[in-house]
Each structure stands twice: as C-alpha cells, then as structure tokens.
Amino acid sequence: MTSADDFVLQLLQDRSLLNPEDVETARQSVQADDETPDNEDAAVLELLVQKGVVTKDQVVEALADEFSMEVVDLNDIRVSHEALELVNREMAVRYKVFPIEVDGNQLELAVCDPLDVDSVDSISHVIKMTVNARLAPLEDIEHAIHQYYESPQAEDMGEMAGIFGELAEEGDIKIDLPTGDEQDVKEEEAPIIRYVHMLITEAIKRRASDIHLEPLEKRFRVRYRIDGVLQEVENPPKRLQPSILSRLKLMANISIAEKRIPQDGRIQMKASAKEIDLRVSSLPTVYGESIVMRILDKEGLNLGLPQLGFFSDDQERFERLVAMPDGIFLVTGPTGSGKSTTLYSALNYVNHPDRKIITVEDPVEYQMTGINQVQVRKDVGMTFAAALRSMLRQAPNIIMVGEIRDLETAEIAVNASLTGHMVFSTLHTNDAPSAVTRLVDIGVKPFLVSASLRGVLAQRLVRRICAACKQPTILEPKETAAMGLTPSQIADATFYKGEGCPKCHGTGHKGRFGIFELFQVGEEMQQMIYEGRNLVELRAKARESGMRTMREDGFRKVTSGMTTLDEVLHVTVGDAP
C-alpha cells in the first residue's frame, strides 16, 4: 500500500487495529506462496485487507492521524481543470498522486504515502507552487487518474492525430514500450506516450541521426538530422510541450524536477526487433528545456570498409595500416565526420579470436561482440589515462582510445605503441598531416611521434545521390574549373544529381559516405618528423608520395557518380590542393 509497509503494520498494531498473531499468520501465508514477493510487508498488508482483518479506510485514517493529515474522498470531489493541467498524467502515474484543486498559489494534492516527501517536493518544483498533501487510498487515486484524465487525453489525441498520421496508418515499425509502461499506463490512455514513440519511430524510418525538440516563444519545434542536414517536421501543439518533455525525461531516467541545469540520460528500446539506444541531452533555454536525442542503431554499425566509401586502392592501404602489429593509427576530423564509425569498422576488420582488443570510450556508443569496452567515469577517477594504464596490464594486442585529449593520454598511448601494441584513436584536426603537429603541440616529443605513428586518416562525410531518382546532369564550366579539370579530362565522365522523390523525401540524397585523406608514415616521413619539419613541408612530401587530399578524393567520387560537386566543395572548404 505504501513504500513503508513495515511502518504501517507496526502502526496498526500500536493502535490495536491488528494483533501480532494476525500479522504472523498472514506472513506465513505469504511465505508459503510459491512466488516470493519483492516486498513481503506490502504483501502481508494487502492480504490482511483482502481478508477483512483491517479495512483500507482504517489504514488511511491511522496514517492521517499519525501525520496530522486530512483524508480526502476522491469519489466525492469536483476536480478543477486547472489542477489537471498543472499535474499532467505522466506525473500523476509516476508519483501515484492526484491533483484536486488550485487555491491561489497552492495545490491540493491527494497522495497515498505520507512518507514519500520527495515526490511532493518534485511536483512542487515542477509546478512552482506550494503543495498541500491530503491522504487517499492508492486504489482511489488510480481510479481517479483513469476517470479524470480520459477526457483531456481524448482531446489531445485528436490534435495529435494529424501528426505523423501517415506513420500511424502504415504501422510497419513496431515499438515495444520500455519495461514498466505496460503496468503503469494502458495504451489507449496514453496519447503522449504514443506521440513520443511515433516521433522516435518516424526518425528511425527516415534514418535520422538526431531528434531535436526546441521550445521557441510561440511554438514547439521538432527537427530531424538526416544525412547531416536538419529537417523540420510537423510540430506538436505548444501546450503539449511540458508533457512531451516530461515524458522524454522520465524515459531517460533524469530528474523532471530539475530544469535549471543541463542533464544527460539514455533511453534503450526495441524497434522492429532492433535494439536502439538514444543518448538524451537536455539544456535549459529561455522558453523551456531543449532536448536532443542521438539515435544509436547498434545493428546499423556493422559496415564493411567499402560501405564507408573507400575505393579499392585506398581500402587496400587502410587495411594494411590497421593490421600492423604495433604503432598508432589516428582518424581525424571535426565532430560528426564519422570518425567513430570508421574506427569501429577497423576494429571489426581486425577482430579475430587470436587477438585481444580493449577500448576505452566516453561514452561507449556501440557494444561490439568479442571486444572488451571500458566506459570513462571521471567522477570516480576512471579517466582515459587511468583506464589506459590498467588496460596495459590486461595484455591486449589492440587498444582503442576514444580520443587523445591531453599529454598524459598521448604519452601512455605512445608508450603502449612502442611496447608492441597497436593503438587506434581520434584527433580533432582539419587534415591528416596536421595530426603530427597536433601531437607535438600537446607535448609529445617529435622523436616519439616519429617512432610510433604509422598513419593518419582524415575524413568528411558527403551525401550519396539517391539511386531511385538519380539523373545525368551537365556541369557548368565554372564548376569544372572548381575541380581543376579541363573539359578534355572529363569528356568521358558522367555526372549525376538527384531529382528528388518520395524515397529520399524530395532531397535527392539518401545516405552518406566518407571522402578520405590517407597519410602514411614511411621512412622519409619519419626522418622529417624527427627533425621537426613544419606542416607545409610534411604535406608537400606526403603529396609527393602519392597522398590525395580529401577534395581530390571527393572529385573522384563526383566523377564516379556517387555524389555531387556541391557536396564535396561544401565539406572541403579551404582544403583545395
């Protein structure tokens, strides 16, 4: 009946409403049952009420008298619409409470557990009002929630019927509710839950990487990031903003009462038998909390190297570098350029039963079979550097460090590579040769960089032309000039663009792949790094040795009909050869 049923049993005995023999008999009956309950005291109290040894009204009155609270009969009240709007259904179900009426700056609230002061405090924080708690049986509260929230929800569902209505009719993606929702809320009673799940479903169908929910002054904007570009979808009514945000925060297991500071959480769910993880970030803004959900599709990660966008020559060099027995291999690029996906694909390529692979990541985005993955936890001292030190005692063959951010991490990674380990990691640099100067700037000695670095892959992502609406096109002379090619050089090439169709939602693009700059460290390059040569000299030597820039690799893919010139020029600005 309450979260402290042992206290209630003792209270009823003290008030001579129960005798110890009745309690002991009921306890033996509960213990004799085949299924042991999670809360034995609750089961004992429930059995005593069922048998009529004590009534639920007597329990409530005893608690009310003990805590000097007023008892409310929810079957004989008139609930105000204002109170129902203040405490939405999500909060009522979660905290097992029911709003009765609003009086000035005070809310009268029915609760079933007088000891659960945290719930009352949380609700008070959310609605920014003083809460006066009254006592009512849990059964009465649940009945009132079912009875009084039905009508407002029917109206809300009518408003939301148009939002993603096409998705609801198709119904070709099935979302399983997270554990607990089935018991707390029936589907027909939960339009907010259905809306949130439709929102996520549609994002998965459209292959979105992020869902952005942004409170603006007069509307509540929802956008998907698809193939790196934000696209706005139909927005829900502004008045549903608090309910939708509360639902998402509950699913992510972050505090709905705290709206002053950023919070991070995680949602795990199934969509069409696929495991989907969503990394949730909430940020307070002027008009409410902005929530961004990053969609992590574990199954979508199993990419082969050709699917990343490698041509056969680059793929061969890449495979040779990542299969080396020791050294450091770096993937560089800005946030959102696909570095993690490339590293995971490289790990997949070298993941054999005779090799031990350990990764240290912040956070662990994808869980991979056969690989030991370590989560960074700065709050307990588990930093990149601390994890790396411990990992080396585990005798791994291959180590992946999520990112080299400081000298301590860099030095341990270098030392690991010099003692027979292959180390994969990422850096934030604009191009591949800049990784050398970046490591030196961090504080790594040039002779150590020279001895340990095996190769660097810089990359960007460009959108792939939609195969369903792909059409030949003719480039303007200024466009061929931007590629640095003469008309005779591209006489045999066919260029394409996407016309836009339902499959790509009119964008002309579907999916993304990488354009790459692969910098290999041979003997001559090692000598130049050892001597501390500048970036210009390193880059010139790399070009002389056959390195293609990202722009040049992009142009190859334009002439192959994989992407458009605009895409390549957009992501390689300032990177002309």
Side-chain angles (χ1 to χ4, degrees):
M1 290 227 174
T2 74
S3 60
D5 299 282
D6 53 344
F7 170 81
V8 177
L9 287 173
Q10 189 58 51
L11 175 65
L12 295 174
Q13 291 179 69
D14 293 342
R15 292 174 177 265
S16 302
L17 295 171
L18 286 176
N19 60 60
E21 291 77 15
D22 292 330
V23 174
E24 185 58 33
T25 301
R27 191 177 299 279
Q28 289 174 2
S29 298
V30 168
Q31 292 173 348
D33 196 356
D34 292 337
E35 295 184 6
T36 304
D38 294 332
N39 187 336
E40 184 178 299
D41 291 315
V44 170
L45 185 55
E46 185 176 349
L47 182 59
L48 289 167
V49 171
Q50 287 176 356
K51 289 185 173 182
V53 180
V54 64
T55 67
K56 68 176 183 180
D57 291 336
Q58 287 176 313
V59 175
V60 171
E61 287 170 5
L63 285 168
D65 187 51
E66 180 71 16
F67 291 96
S68 301
M69 295 177 67
E70 182 182 340
V71 177
V72 60
D73 184 359
L74 295 181
N75 298 313
D76 190 27
I77 61 167
R78 186 168 185 174
V79 180
S80 74
H81 187 66
E82 186 181 359
L84 292 172
E85 287 185 339
L86 269 177
V87 178
N88 59 44
R89 194 180 199 289
E90 295 290 333
M91 287 193 286
V93 170
R94 178 179 176 83
Y95 295 120
K96 297 180 176 61
V97 299
F98 186 78
I100 303 168
E101 62 178 347
V102 177
D103 183 10
N105 193 40
Q106 297 187 351
L107 171 71
E108 300 293 330
L109 186 73
V111 303
C112 64
D113 185 356
L115 296 174
D116 187 9
V117 294
D118 288 341
S119 294
V120 175
D121 288 344
S122 293
I123 293 170
S124 181
H125 274 297
V126 170
I127 66 174
K128 296 181 174 61
M129 295 179 70
T130 302
V131 173
N132 295 328
R134 300 190 196 177
L135 208 57
L138 175 59
E139 294 85 347
D140 291 359
I141 289 176
E142 289 175 338
H143 177 73
I145 290 173
H146 175 79
Q147 178 181 358
Y148 286 97
Y149 279 100
E150 250 185 356
S151 177
Q153 285 193 330
E155 292 173 11
D156 289 346
M157 200 61 223
E159 282 193 54
M160 289 188 290
I163 303 172
F164 300 140
E166 188 176 324
L167 167 69
E169 290 172 10
E170 290 173 6
D172 59 347
I173 289 187
K174 179 179 180 293
I175 291 280
D176 296 338
L177 295 178
T179 304
D181 283 343
E182 295 89 340
Q183 290 81 18
D184 294 339
V185 183
K186 293 181 180 178
E187 187 176 355
E188 65 270 20
E189 301 170 357
I192 295 296
I193 288 179
R194 290 203 297 279
Y195 171 75
V196 168
H197 284 280
M198 282 196 293
L199 187 74
I200 297 171
T201 299
E202 177 74 353
I204 295 167
K205 281 188 66 179
R206 292 198 189 186
R207 302 171 297 100
S209 59
D210 306 279
I211 304 172
H212 295 248
L213 297 99
E214 303 159 312
L216 304 178
E217 183 178 6
K218 295 182 179 179
R219 63 193 182 105
F220 185 35
R221 184 168 67 180
V222 178
R223 296 192 287 177
Y224 295 150
R225 188 181 296 280
I226 302 171
D227 295 333
V229 179
L230 282 171
Q231 298 178 16
E232 188 166 347
V233 298
E234 191 170 352
N235 300 326
K238 175 71 173 176
R239 68 185 183 84
L240 296 181
Q241 175 182 313
S243 299
I244 293 170
L245 295 180
S246 293
R247 171 62 189 165
L248 288 169
K249 292 173 76 174
L250 288 173
M251 291 173 69
N253 199 28
I254 57 181
S255 172
I256 65 171
E258 185 55 76
K259 298 184 179 182
R260 300 163 297 175
I261 60 174
Q263 296 186 85
D264 294 304
R266 193 165 195 149
I267 298 173
Q268 293 181 307
M269 60 196 309
K270 272 190 177 181
S272 292
K274 289 169 63 178
E275 291 288 343
I276 301 293
D277 276 7
L278 296 100
R279 262 188 14 223
V280 181
S281 169
S282 75
L283 179 71
T285 68
V286 175
Y287 300 110
E289 288 178 284
S290 171
I291 286 186
V292 176
M293 293 182 283
R294 175 81 182 274
I295 300 172
L296 306 174
D297 181 357
K298 297 178 183 179
E299 295 181 18
L301 180 73
N302 297 325
L303 296 175
L305 297 179
Q307 283 79 13
L308 294 179
F310 282 109
F311 279 148
S312 57
D313 54 349
D314 281 340
Q315 181 177 332
E316 184 181 336
R317 292 191 295 158
F318 179 80
E319 290 174 350
R320 190 166 58 249
L321 282 171
V322 300
M324 284 186 170
D326 56 31
I328 295 178
F329 181 80
L330 298 174
V331 180
T332 75
T335 301
S337 60
K339 299 188 300 295
S340 295
T341 301
T342 299
L343 277 184
Y344 280 121
S345 297
L347 288 178
N348 259 342
Y349 176 74
V350 298
N351 186 14
H352 302 301
D354 60 343
R355 295 176 182 172
K356 176 157 184 160
I357 302 175
I358 305 180
T359 74
V360 53
E361 305 166 60
D362 183 21
V364 175
E365 292 189 358
Y366 300 99
Q367 294 169 5
M368 301 183 68
T369 304
I371 293 177
N372 302 279
Q373 295 173 274
V374 178
Q375 169 77 52
V376 167
R377 291 190 58 191
K378 294 178 183 176
D379 56 330
V380 295
M382 178 66 88
T383 61
F384 276 111
L388 265 173
R389 288 194 197 91
S390 299
M391 284 162 57
L392 293 176
R393 301 189 196 105
Q394 296 278 315
N397 300 103
I398 298 167
I399 296 169
M400 187 189 97
V401 186
E403 183 183 347
I404 294 178
R405 304 180 181 183
D406 51 44
L407 176 59
E408 188 179 15
T409 305
E411 284 182 333
I412 298 171
V414 168
N415 290 333
S417 70
L418 294 175
T419 53
H421 305 87
M422 187 64 194
V423 180
F424 295 155
S425 191
T426 68
L427 272 181
H428 289 286
T429 63
N430 290 328
D431 58 18
S434 297
V436 174
T437 53
R438 174 66 177 147
L439 288 173
V440 174
D441 288 343
I442 288 175
V444 182
K445 297 291 189 291
F447 75 90
L448 290 174
V449 177
S450 168
S452 60
L453 191 62
R454 297 287 178 264
V456 182
L457 182 76
Q459 69 177 65
R460 300 290 189 277
L461 293 177
V462 294
R463 292 186 292 174
R464 189 185 300 273
I465 299 172
C466 175
C469 59
K470 188 176 183 179
Q471 296 292 331
T473 187
I474 298 174
L475 294 185
E476 298 288 334
K478 63 179 180 180
E479 293 178 308
T480 57
M483 294 173 66
L485 300 173
T486 63
S488 60
Q489 289 176 301
I490 59 172
D492 297 329
T494 304
F495 299 96
Y496 294 89
K497 68 175 182 178
E499 295 290 335
C501 66
K503 288 191 175 180
C504 61
H505 297 280
T507 63
H509 298 91
K510 188 172 183 181
R512 289 192 292 175
F513 62 91
I515 56 174
F516 305 103
E517 180 175 288
L518 188 55
F519 173 73
Q520 294 177 274
V521 181
E523 289 185 7
E524 290 184 67
M525 191 63 71
Q526 281 185 323
Q527 182 63 30
M528 293 180 69
I529 296 171
Y530 179 81
E531 293 170 359
R533 300 288 186 88
N534 62 44
L535 178 59
V536 175
E537 293 176 291
L538 294 177
R539 189 170 183 78
K541 182 62 181 177
R543 295 293 305 282
E544 183 185 317
S545 302
M547 183 189 82
R548 273 186 295 268
T549 67
M550 281 181 284
R551 177 163 286 190
E552 289 171 334
D553 188 48
F555 289 163
R556 284 206 302 167
K557 288 161 184 175
V558 171
T559 57
S560 298
M562 298 168 66
T563 188
T564 63
L565 179 62
D566 286 343
E567 282 292 303
V568 174
L569 294 177
H570 176 67
V571 300
T572 59
V573 171
D575 189 38

